[in-house]
Amino acid sequence: MKRNGETKRRRNVAEEAEQGGGEDPAMWENLDRNFRQVQSVLDRNRSLIQQVNDNHQSRMADNMSKNVALIQELNGNISKVVSMYSDINTNFSSAFHGGNNGHDGGGGAGTKAN
């Protein structure tokens, strides 16, 4: 039952976008900027994972100890991405339901990507 409600809600948001919610270029620019910031963190995570794998395969003690810091950064980045997606969701929902959070020029996600 919950799925049907979620599907209807998604459909309503899509219909609102077609009927006028999609006419705000600032909102879409903000959304695009926030997704690019998320992608930047995800790209960094890909690089960190590759470094961790390379260090692990080398089996050198110094490289293995470097993995601690790399994994800590990776863990922090994962938390950052979760927070950024949450902010994107809030901003996007607010923009479609009469709020102005999606129109503030930076949004919460923009400040957390740095």
Side-chain angles (χ1 to χ4, degrees):
M1 294 299 242
K2 188 175 182 181
R3 277 196 144 144
N4 290 337
E6 290 173 6
T7 302
K8 287 179 185 176
R9 189 170 72 193
R10 284 188 207 125
R11 195 174 311 134
N12 289 341
V13 169
E15 288 170 3
E16 286 179 35
E18 290 174 5
Q19 296 173 359
E23 295 177 8
D24 185 359
M27 178 192 68
W28 294 111
E29 289 171 14
N30 187 40
L31 189 64
D32 182 60
R33 181 177 49 254
N34 290 337
F35 276 120
R36 288 178 191 274
Q37 290 171 337
V38 168
Q39 188 61 51
S40 175
V41 176
L42 293 174
D43 290 342
R44 173 66 180 153
N45 285 356
R46 181 183 302 120
S47 174
L48 289 170
I49 290 167
Q50 186 60 52
Q51 287 177 299
V52 167
N53 285 335
D54 292 345
N55 288 346
H56 183 74
Q57 289 176 354
S58 77
R59 300 202 184 267
M60 294 174 54
D62 186 48
N63 287 346
M64 298 291 269
S65 65
K66 290 177 184 177
N67 278 354
V68 173
L70 294 173
I71 292 170
Q72 288 173 339
E73 182 180 349
L74 184 61
N75 187 43
N77 285 352
I78 291 169
S79 297
K80 188 183 296 186
V81 167
V82 168
S83 177
M84 292 167 78
Y85 273 129
S86 177
D87 289 345
I88 289 170
N89 179 47
T90 299
N91 292 343
F92 190 74
S93 294
S94 295
F96 273 95
H97 297 292
N100 64 0
N101 287 344
H103 305 280
D104 63 7
T111 59
K112 294 182 182 180
N114 297 330

